Amino acid sequence: MNFKTCLITLALSLYTQTVTASSNASVQTGSLETAVLTAILAPFLTSAVIAVFYTRLEDYSAIIGSLSGLISFIAAISLIGKTGVVSYLWIPSMNIAAQFYVDGLSVFFGLLASGIGVLVFLYSWKYMEHGEWKRKYYTALTAFMGSMIGLVFSSNLILLFLFWEFTSICSFVLISHHQRKRAGIMASKKSLLVTVGSGLALLLGFILLGSATDTYSIVEMLSDGQALSALESTGLTTAVVALIGIGAAGKSAQIPLHIWLPDAMEAPTPVSSFLHSATMVKAGVFLLLRFRSILGEAVAWNFLLLTLGLSTMFIAALLAVASTELKQLLAYSTASHLGLIVAGIGFPTAVGVETSLFHVLNHAVFKAGLFMVAGIVLHEAGTQKFSELSGLRHDWPGLAAIGTLLSLSMAGIPPFNGFYSKELLFEAAYHTASHTGGITWILPAISVLGSVFTFIYSLKFISVFYGRKSQDLHDVPRKMILSPAILAVTTIAITATPNQFISVLVNPALELLAHTSHGLSVHMPKNLKPAFVMSLITIGLGSFGIGYLNVVERKAKKITALTALSPNKYYFKALDKADELSNRMITKVESGLLRTYAVWVLIISTVTGTAGYLLAGPLPAFQITATLPAAVVLAVSLVSVSAVLRSQSYTSSVMILSILGFMVSIFYLLLDAPDLVLTQLVVETMSLIVFLLVLNKLPSFDKEISFDRKKRDTIISAIAGLMVFLSVMYSTAEETPSKVADYFIGHAVSGSGGGNVVNVILVDFRGLDTLGEVSVIAMAGLAVLMLFKMRGVEQ
């Protein structure tokens, strides 16, 4: 038995034991811990195994990855119907724990991520057989699956954000798979900038939400029911909704942040099928669904999501019609369908969220399969351009049947499952418009228009299988067609028994999302209700448009080619501006002169300090009391500063500055601090000696400093000094010094056994700081010693 066989056997054994353990834990003890831990950790552990043992595993990494997805999938199945919080203590002494929340929504998305993941790994087995960088590919793909599952089960805002960003990093690695191609590099950079940039907005939204509600626990927000009220009392509702909306829009490719998705098709097709159809782009949708129960009643919520979703649905569908390649069409199609889902979440009625959740399931199944079909065409025919493909059904009848079935579902043609979710959208749009009236009638109009373009590009996709045969092709490998075939069978199953899938997967997730939900069920319409009439209009106009496909394509290309409407134009313009600003900053900041660095440090610290005071609200009042000796010391110090400004040589400047230093010593003496006086005197004396020793080696600066620069430096120094002065006064305004002193005096003996409070502070209370200072002085001493030893040596 060779190593690979042993490893496969071991993996199967572990899989069986893990599944058994998770089932036992979940069923016999009712505990959720084992199942949740299994679902999240299986992909991460597999990722580590592939990274270390890839040279021995090679293409069997696909099987190992598929098994890890299967383990997660079965663990998620064991969680169906269960609800609860799972907490794993990370640092018990600090009460820091990783918490996960199990409910219908998290289980629904966990099943999608792991289930589609199993099929994508099987598909990769053959697709990536002759590929390169496969260790990186399989390691990142399994890590992504674990991140996505961790994201949907997270019950804490910070933990959710960590998994959120980890999916972005994995996506960046996978999109840049062809790391030596310029297109791959550009696509991965764009993806990272958009998703991580929008992620920063999300982080800010989380911080504001957590601060307003005084908790970062999603479970507490959901159970308390007062999160929105707490947010409204701070006046931050619109800002938080907008920031969370930006985060979701970036991840779910909503207009105008959709620009990264078409370029991300540079990644291998299995990546497109997994990340860019079923999972990562659904992360934004999951986020909106999770927060609908918290923020859904905010006015800004409905307006933002309806505007964002319907505009994305329409514009992306238009771009899909104008596409020239299979994967490009599917990318824009994905953005369009995500727009439909986002719009559904924005509708105030229960039908809206029912639309979204059911379409998440339908879209994940048919779109993952269609990406795999497009990948097979590209892999075997060597092209994906519509202009070079036709009549593929003559050589690939099975693939043509799969592609046709999945496309008809995507088009929303009855009786396929896509039709039901489209009907729900029409119903939600019509219901909102008929109850609100006025401008809201635009909602059903845009819904129908976007669906017409969806119908057209869906039939355009399958046009490559029909017509005259364009080239001779060999058979499609069975390993490669297995996964899309399973997804086609799943589509048939949902089409045939939609209410069974809704009952098991969708309705449990709806329990928390739609309080007014009556229990979703779908049926073929038997009379002319408004939603069915809208479907008939869609099919009629779509059929008419497909008859004039060339004309429709030409018009769509003309509209989408308008540069003023191109987000890419603004993206590249922003990059150019950022590059130009960066070059200017380098010139301004990195001059190689110590003076320049000091100026920037003072400016930045002063600006941030001022901003802090402005944001802090009312500050405590403080009093300035000065004795005559202290006033004399201050006056002498000011005269010294004035003399330094007028000085014309290094020597005179250093001598005058030493007067300022000695005035500080006298000030400490007035405050009865003899230790500080001695320290200050030693420092000033040593500084003066060192400066005088090296001054004769420095170039003369007499009259080299212009008046304007002196004036600028004086103003900056004065403002920085004023900021330090105010900081000291504010921080000591409420008797803080006496509290601090009392603490150290009270704990000096009991804490360290020392009677000298200053020494105890230096060597015990701030021992690490002192160690760092001693280290710096020691290194400086060594440098000085080396300089002495190098005297007379030219080097």
Side-chain angles (χ1 to χ4, degrees):
M1 186 178 289
N2 59 28
F3 176 80
K4 293 174 183 172
T5 308
C6 286
L7 205 54
I8 296 292
T9 305
L10 176 64
L12 286 171
S13 174
L14 286 174
Y15 152 71
T16 306
Q17 292 178 15
T18 307
V19 170
T20 303
S22 93
S23 299
N24 289 340
S26 301
V27 176
Q28 293 178 4
T29 67
S31 171
L32 305 177
E33 286 85 350
T34 305
V36 172
L37 197 64
T38 301
I40 296 173
L41 287 186
F44 282 118
L45 293 176
T46 305
S47 177
V49 169
I50 292 173
V52 175
F53 297 106
Y54 176 77
T55 52
R56 291 177 177 270
L57 291 169
E58 296 182 347
D59 288 340
Y60 286 97
S61 300
I63 302 300
I64 301 294
S66 185
L67 283 174
S68 72
L70 192 57
I71 291 171
S72 298
F73 185 73
I74 294 176
I77 286 178
S78 72
L79 294 171
I80 292 178
K82 294 183 171 63
T83 303
V85 179
V86 177
S87 181
Y88 299 99
L89 278 178
W90 181 16
I91 306 176
S93 61
M94 301 179 67
N95 198 29
I96 295 178
Q99 293 183 327
F100 299 97
Y101 182 41
V102 177
D103 68 343
L105 186 65
S106 57
V107 172
F108 175 78
F109 276 89
L111 286 170
L112 279 185
S114 54
I116 299 293
V118 172
L119 300 178
V120 167
F121 276 104
L122 285 177
Y123 180 74
S124 299
W125 191 10
K126 182 63 181 177
Y127 191 93
M128 296 298 292
E129 189 176 30
H130 301 293
E132 54 182 2
W133 316 109
K134 288 188 281 188
R135 181 202 296 263
K136 181 185 72 172
Y137 171 81
Y138 285 115
T139 301
L141 201 61
T142 45
F144 171 82
M145 185 163 59
S147 304
M148 190 64 200
I149 296 172
L151 187 154
V152 300
F153 281 107
S154 296
S155 75
N156 182 286
L157 294 179
I158 303 302
L159 190 63
L160 189 153
F161 180 75
L162 288 176
F163 281 118
W164 179 278
E165 289 302 287
F166 203 24
T167 61
S168 296
I169 294 171
C170 292
S171 172
F172 170 76
V173 173
L174 290 167
I175 293 172
S176 63
H177 179 76
H178 302 295
Q179 55 199 41
R180 291 177 181 168
K181 292 184 178 178
R182 178 175 171 80
I185 295 171
M186 296 295 289
S188 59
K189 284 171 62 178
K190 184 187 281 188
S191 164
L192 193 69
L193 283 172
V194 174
T195 57
V196 174
S198 58
L200 292 177
L202 178 66
L203 177 61
L204 181 57
F206 280 174
I207 292 173
L208 293 177
L209 180 61
S211 301
T213 57
D214 201 26
T215 180
Y216 284 86
S217 170
I218 297 172
V219 179
E220 289 182 13
M221 292 182 196
L222 291 172
S223 59
D224 181 54
Q226 301 298 318
L228 184 58
S229 301
L231 200 58
E232 287 174 341
S233 66
T234 63
L236 294 172
T237 307
T238 303
V240 169
V241 168
L243 290 168
I244 291 178
I246 291 172
K251 192 73 89 176
S252 288
Q254 298 296 286
I255 299 287
L257 301 180
H258 70 289
I259 54 174
W260 66 271
L261 187 58
D263 290 352
M265 296 303 114
E266 283 296 324
T269 300
V271 175
S272 304
S273 177
F274 193 25
L275 276 67
H276 307 138
S277 64
T279 52
M280 192 177 94
V281 292
K282 298 291 195 317
V285 171
F286 168 79
L287 183 80
L288 295 175
L289 286 168
R290 176 59 85 200
F291 280 91
R292 188 179 188 273
S293 300
I294 300 172
L295 304 171
E297 294 183 6
V299 176
W301 178 271
N302 297 328
F303 174 78
L304 175 68
L305 297 194
L306 284 174
T307 306
L308 195 66
L310 289 178
S311 59
T312 301
M313 178 185 175
F314 172 71
I315 295 173
L318 194 63
L319 289 165
V321 171
S323 298
T324 57
E325 296 179 346
L326 290 172
K327 288 180 67 177
Q328 185 187 36
L329 180 149
L330 293 177
Y332 284 124
S333 158
T334 297
S336 177
H337 282 267
L338 289 170
L340 184 156
I341 295 168
V342 169
I345 302 171
F347 281 112
T349 60
V351 179
V353 72
E354 290 170 352
T355 304
S356 299
L357 213 51
F358 189 40
H359 199 62
V360 166
L361 172 65
N362 293 331
H363 179 258
V365 174
F366 68 64
K367 189 53 66 66
L370 285 172
F371 266 113
M372 292 178 185
V373 170
I376 291 172
V377 173
L378 175 61
H379 195 272
E380 301 301 316
T383 181
Q384 57 168 329
K385 293 182 178 178
F386 285 103
S387 59
E388 298 173 2
L389 294 168
S390 67
L392 299 183
R393 68 181 172 86
H394 296 289
D395 291 312
W396 298 337
L399 189 68
I402 293 170
T404 302
L405 188 148
L406 295 173
S407 292
L408 293 178
S409 177
M410 179 168 69
I413 295 176
F416 294 100
N417 53 336
F419 167 75
Y420 294 115
S421 44
K422 194 67 68 65
E423 278 276 293
L424 289 172
L425 171 73
F426 290 155
E427 185 180 340
Y430 180 82
H431 183 271
T432 302
S434 60
H435 280 73
T436 310
I439 195 172
T440 57
W441 279 106
I442 197 173
L443 299 177
I446 294 178
S447 301
V448 170
L449 200 54
S451 299
V452 169
F453 286 119
T454 302
F455 184 94
I456 293 173
Y457 70 64
S458 297
L459 296 188
K460 177 181 176 180
F461 180 86
I462 58 176
S463 66
V464 299
F465 294 107
Y466 301 95
R468 184 180 298 175
K469 186 177 177 180
S470 60
Q471 55 183 305
D472 291 324
L473 300 164
H474 55 74
D475 293 339
V476 176
R478 291 182 180 177
K479 288 181 186 176
M480 204 181 288
I481 206 170
L482 176 62
S483 292
I486 292 174
L487 289 167
V489 170
T490 307
T491 300
I492 294 172
I494 299 174
T495 299
T497 58
N499 291 319
Q500 276 67 28
F501 282 87
I502 289 173
S503 174
V504 175
L505 297 174
V506 178
N507 279 337
L510 284 170
E511 289 178 1
L512 193 63
L513 294 171
H515 300 296
T516 58
S517 176
H518 52 279
L520 173 65
S521 62
V522 294
H523 306 278
M524 286 300 295
K526 296 178 180 176
N527 46 45
L528 286 179
K529 290 183 178 180
F532 187 49
V533 172
M534 293 164 74
S535 290
L536 293 178
I537 293 172
T538 298
I539 295 171
L541 290 178
S543 300
F544 180 78
I546 202 70
Y548 294 91
L549 182 59
N550 292 334
V551 177
V552 175
E553 282 181 330
R554 196 163 54 247
K555 297 290 183 184
K557 287 176 182 175
K558 188 176 290 186
I559 295 172
T560 56
L562 294 173
T563 54
L565 301 177
S566 171
N568 270 320
K569 171 191 171 186
Y570 299 105
Y571 168 77
F572 288 115
K573 196 171 182 179
L575 284 187
D576 291 340
K577 290 292 182 185
D579 188 49
E580 183 181 339
L581 179 63
S582 176
N583 290 330
R584 286 185 181 179
M585 290 302 294
I586 289 174
T587 306
K588 294 284 185 184
V589 176
E590 297 198 7
S591 66
L593 298 174
L594 180 61
R595 182 189 300 110
T596 306
Y597 302 138
V599 165
W600 279 106
V601 169
L602 289 175
I603 290 175
I604 299 298
S605 58
T606 303
V607 169
T608 52
T610 305
Y613 286 127
L614 292 175
L615 293 174
L619 296 169
F622 61 83
Q623 293 182 340
I624 301 176
T625 56
T627 60
L628 179 60
V632 172
V633 169
L634 179 62
V636 174
S637 299
L638 292 175
V639 172
S640 301
V641 170
S642 175
V644 169
L645 294 176
R646 293 196 303 272
S647 174
Q648 297 296 318
S649 70
Y650 283 126
T651 305
S652 60
S653 298
V654 171
M655 296 297 290
I656 297 169
L657 276 175
S658 68
I659 296 174
L660 185 60
F662 287 120
M663 287 299 104
V664 175
S665 302
I666 296 172
F667 182 73
Y668 288 148
L669 184 63
L670 295 174
L671 294 176
D672 297 327
D675 290 353
L676 293 178
V677 173
L678 290 174
T679 304
Q680 182 68 22
L681 286 174
V682 171
V683 170
E684 285 302 323
T685 305
M686 290 301 298
S687 301
L688 180 61
I689 294 172
V690 171
F691 272 120
L692 291 176
L693 286 173
V694 301
L695 279 181
N696 61 343
K697 298 293 183 183
L698 298 178
S700 172
F701 79 111
D702 292 15
K703 300 180 182 177
E704 289 183 358
I705 301 177
S706 65
F707 175 76
D708 290 339
R709 199 169 71 187
K710 273 189 177 182
K711 185 170 66 175
R712 182 202 68 183
D713 292 350
T714 302
I715 294 173
I716 293 173
S717 301
I719 294 175
L722 179 63
M723 183 56 58
V724 173
F725 170 75
L726 291 175
S727 300
V728 172
M729 298 308 296
Y730 285 132
S731 61
T732 58
E734 295 183 340
E735 300 182 350
T736 304
S738 63
K739 293 179 183 176
V740 174
D742 292 342
Y743 173 83
F744 285 122
I745 292 171
H747 291 78
V749 177
S750 59
S752 67
N756 187 321
V757 178
V758 175
N759 287 345
V760 169
I761 292 173
L762 290 176
V763 302
D764 286 294
F765 289 114
R766 55 184 295 271
L768 286 176
D769 293 347
T770 305
L771 178 64
E773 293 165 0
V774 171
S775 301
V776 170
I777 293 172
M779 284 187 282
L782 288 173
V784 172
L785 181 63
M786 288 299 296
L787 289 173
F788 276 114
K789 285 191 173 183
M790 291 173 64
R791 282 185 303 172
V793 180
E794 291 185 357
Q795 291 84 350

